[in-house]
């Protein structure tokens, strides 16, 4: 409980409160503008975090992460254009409700569902910290180098399998990211790899520079080379409070969706899309009128928004407990941990418990702040959907280059970011996923470092899985792969039949 009190005190510092407000409101606006999204916003903000206090930096990024999906529901419901990719499922029923003249009701349902999902996930994490906090330090004894290596392998497998229709492409991009992560001096043994006598590459590729290029610059090029859309103007009439009580009419859907979001957030490489799929399918199965789904079903909207907002807090758990990011956004936050000298992993529960409480309480405050702001400012924020794409592209381009240059005052960093931006632009045009490339760099670095550090105890391949945790994770990897193969075979047979 002392750690909880200290965590609260840390959040009451003025710079932290300012960062929380800026992150929450900024993420809300960013989510409401189609074409930006939290990944691009966080990529742009990352260079600035170098000059900020560690808690201030993370609260700022968490604010953007936790609030952007709220904002992304606004254009999804009003103009059938998701503000962030994870709001795509919201368009199915949200926009249908708008066409029926229930835009305010749809927005209110989206806000209340998002708030419930976020609070459910955060509360679950906080209860676990309070109840099991004194025992969580024992995780350090359970997780050795080989165990964390196998956890990273599991995250890699789940990431690739999550891209069901583009599994070969995801594997290729993950492998490219893995190779990029090996450039430079290996920290454990001091071996220089793949530098080709280029001095800049001796330290490897800066992850912030790569992330800004892959996400921000590629999207800027995408917007600049596209056409300015002329989205239809949706009328927003009626109060935004009347749908708040409607969530209570669907307790089963809300609870199941929040549970899916929390569980899927904890599993590395899964995230919002899988959580939404299960939530939406469950809501449809529980409905007395499944034909209404996709045509304005309130339960469908609740399932989508509850699930995707339950993921952010849960996704922090594998990052904090194992040091294994499950997706691009938590991988970006991992950079801030490293810059602050905080090493995510089992030891963090013993060394920085107050820091953990600060992060989750900050997420809870972000949810409260965002809902309060939305109920009074939705009409103003809704106008953001009319910002021209090319203006957004130019703005992102300028901010990204300024951010990259400010890290080390290096034009070489800008050139590297531009190269990765062009690569990301090509991948976007090919409709290939960007996340496997970035997570290939992050997880690849973890796997190489942990495997090298534990190499002294490895004589045969069975030594990798001779510990309880690594053995269990290896079994999970095998089961997941076998289950996926069986599922693909059955699906192919159904198609042929």
């Amino acid at each position: 409980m002392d750690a909880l009190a200290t965590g609260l005190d840390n959040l009451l510092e003025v710079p932290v409160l300012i960062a929380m407000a800026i992150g929450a409101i900024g993420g809300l606006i960013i989510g409401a503008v189609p074409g930006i999204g939290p990944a691009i916003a966080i990529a742009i903000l990352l260079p600035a975090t170098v000059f900020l206090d560690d808690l201030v930096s993370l609260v700022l990024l968490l604010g953007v992460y936790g609030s952007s999906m709220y904002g992304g529901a606004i254009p999804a419901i009003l103009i059938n254009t998701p503000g962030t990719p994870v709001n795509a499922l919201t368009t199915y029923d949200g926009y249908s409700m708008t066409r029926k003249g229930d835009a305010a009701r749809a927005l209110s349902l989206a806000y209340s569902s998002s708030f419930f999902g976020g609070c459910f996930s955060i509360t679950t994490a906080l209860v676990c910290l309070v109840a099991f906090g004194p025992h969580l330090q024992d995780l350090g004894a359970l997780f050795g180098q080989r165990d964390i290596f196998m956890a990273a392998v599991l995250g890699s497998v789940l990431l690739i399998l999550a891209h069901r229709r583009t599994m070969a492409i995801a594997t290729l991009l993950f492998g490219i990211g893995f190779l990029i992560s090996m450039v430079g001096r290996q920290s454990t043994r001091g071996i220089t790899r793949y530098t080709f006598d280029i001095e800049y590459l001796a330290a490897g590729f800066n992850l912030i520079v790569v992330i800004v290029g892959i996400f921000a610059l590629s999207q800027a090029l995408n917007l600049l080379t596209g056409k300015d859309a002329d989205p239809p103007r949706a009328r927003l009439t009626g109060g935004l409070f009347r749908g708040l009580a409607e969530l209570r009419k669907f307790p089963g859907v809300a609870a199941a969706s929040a549970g899916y979001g929390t569980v899927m957030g904890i599993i590395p490489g899964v995230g919002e899309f899988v959580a939404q799929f299960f939530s939406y399918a469950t809501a449809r199965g529980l409905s007395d009128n499944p034909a209404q789904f996709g045509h304005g079903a309130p339960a469908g909207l609740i399932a989508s928004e509850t699930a995707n907002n339950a993921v952010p807090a849960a996704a922090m758990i594998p990052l904090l407990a194992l040091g294994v990011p499950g997706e691009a956004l938590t991988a970006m936050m991992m950079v801030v941990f490293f810059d602050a000298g905080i090493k995510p992993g089992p030891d963090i529960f013993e060394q920085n418990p107050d820091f953990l409480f600060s992060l989750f309480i900050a997420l809870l405050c972000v949810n409260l702040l965002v809902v309060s702001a939305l109920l009074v400012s939705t009409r103003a924020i809704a106008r953001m959907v009319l910002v021209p794409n090319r203006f957004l592209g130019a703005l992102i381009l300028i901010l990204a280059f300024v951010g990259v240059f400010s890290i080390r005052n290096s034009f070489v960093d800008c050139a590297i970011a531009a190269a990765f931006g062009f690569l990301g632009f090509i991948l976007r045009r090919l409709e290939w996923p960007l996340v496997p490339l970035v997570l290939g760099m992050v997880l690849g670095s973890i796997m190489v470092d942990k495997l090298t550090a534990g190499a002294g105890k490895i004589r045969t391949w069975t030594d990798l899985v001779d510990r309880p945790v690594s053995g269990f994770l290896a079994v999970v990897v095998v089961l997941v792969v076998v289950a996926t193969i069986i599922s693909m075979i059955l699906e192919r047979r159904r198609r042929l039949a």
Side-chain angles (χ1 to χ4, degrees), residues 111-297:
Y111 300 159
S112 55
S113 302
S114 298
F115 181 71
F116 175 77
C119 290
F120 180 93
S121 181
I122 296 164
T123 304
T124 301
L126 281 173
V127 168
C128 290
L129 282 175
V130 172
F132 306 109
H135 308 289
L136 290 176
Q137 60 185 348
D138 296 335
L139 284 173
L142 291 175
F143 284 89
Q145 306 289 354
R146 288 167 287 172
D147 303 308
I148 297 177
F149 168 79
M150 286 305 304
V153 171
L154 175 60
S156 306
V157 170
L158 291 173
L159 169 72
I160 292 170
L161 296 182
H163 295 79
R164 185 73 170 263
R165 298 184 182 277
T166 56
M167 202 177 298
I169 294 171
T171 304
L172 172 65
L173 294 176
F174 183 88
I176 293 173
F178 192 106
L179 288 175
I180 293 172
S181 73
M182 296 184 68
V183 174
R185 184 175 295 275
Q186 207 277 329
S187 57
T188 306
R189 296 189 174 182
I191 302 171
T192 302
R193 306 165 301 185
Y194 308 120
T195 60
F196 305 103
D197 295 327
I198 300 174
E199 185 178 353
Y200 176 87
L201 297 180
F205 288 102
N206 186 295
L207 188 58
I208 297 178
V209 173
V210 174
I211 289 173
V212 172
I214 287 289
F215 285 97
L217 291 180
S218 67
Q219 180 66 355
L221 292 174
N222 204 36
L223 293 171
L224 287 170
T225 56
K227 294 182 179 180
D228 279 334
D230 186 17
R233 294 178 180 268
R235 296 183 62 190
L236 186 59
T237 58
L240 291 173
F241 292 88
R242 60 176 182 168
L244 289 174
E246 194 169 354
L247 183 66
R248 294 187 298 178
K249 298 178 181 178
F250 303 92
V253 172
S257 301
Y260 279 129
T262 303
V263 173
M264 299 301 174
I266 293 173
I267 301 174
V270 180
E272 293 92 347
F273 291 105
V274 178
Q276 284 180 316
F277 172 79
F278 281 109
S279 301
Y280 200 82
T282 300
R284 187 168 184 171
L286 294 174
S287 175
D288 296 329
N289 186 14
Q292 187 186 10
F293 279 67
H295 304 283

Side-chain angles (χ1 to χ4, degrees), residues 78 82 91 110 137 168 170-171 176 212-213 218 229 312 363 385 429 455 495:
L78 296 182
T91 60
Q137 60 185 348
T171 304
I176 293 173
V212 172
S218 67
L363 263 177
V385 304
R429 284 302 178 93
R495 286 202 306 268

Side-chain angles (χ1 to χ4, degrees), residues 34 79 81 223 226-232 385-391:
I79 61 172
T81 302
L223 293 171
K227 294 182 179 180
D228 279 334
D230 186 17
V385 304
L386 303 176
V387 176
N389 288 345
R390 290 180 180 174
F391 174 80

Side-chain angles (χ1 to χ4, degrees), residues 16-174:
V16 178
L17 292 175
I18 293 174
M20 188 187 303
I22 292 174
I25 305 303
L28 185 59
I29 295 172
I30 287 165
V33 181
I36 300 183
I40 296 167
I42 291 176
I44 293 173
L45 288 172
L46 270 182
T49 61
V50 175
F51 308 102
L52 299 176
D53 182 72
D54 48 359
L55 184 59
V56 173
S57 301
L58 283 167
V59 166
L60 176 65
L61 299 184
L62 280 175
V64 174
Y65 186 22
S67 64
S68 59
M69 296 173 198
Y70 282 90
I74 296 175
I77 290 171
L78 296 182
I79 61 172
N80 201 28
T81 302
T84 71
V86 298
N87 294 111
L89 202 59
T90 304
T91 60
Y92 288 9
D93 297 288
Y95 184 63
S96 298
M97 294 176 71
T98 296
R99 294 179 64 184
K100 295 175 182 178
D102 287 334
R105 178 190 175 200
L107 288 171
S108 184
L109 273 174
Y111 300 159
S112 55
S113 302
S114 298
F115 181 71
F116 175 77
C119 290
F120 180 93
S121 181
I122 296 164
T123 304
T124 301
L126 281 173
V127 168
C128 290
L129 282 175
V130 172
F132 306 109
H135 308 289
L136 290 176
Q137 60 185 348
D138 296 335
L139 284 173
L142 291 175
F143 284 89
Q145 306 289 354
R146 288 167 287 172
D147 303 308
I148 297 177
F149 168 79
M150 286 305 304
V153 171
L154 175 60
S156 306
V157 170
L158 291 173
L159 169 72
I160 292 170
L161 296 182
H163 295 79
R164 185 73 170 263
R165 298 184 182 277
T166 56
M167 202 177 298
I169 294 171
T171 304
L172 172 65
L173 294 176
F174 183 88

Side-chain angles (χ1 to χ4, degrees), residues 28 70 111-112 114-115 244 366-376:
L28 185 59
Y70 282 90
Y111 300 159
S112 55
S114 298
F115 181 71
L244 289 174
V366 164
N367 278 270
L368 289 167
L369 183 60
V370 168
V371 168
S372 302
L374 279 171
L375 291 176
V376 297

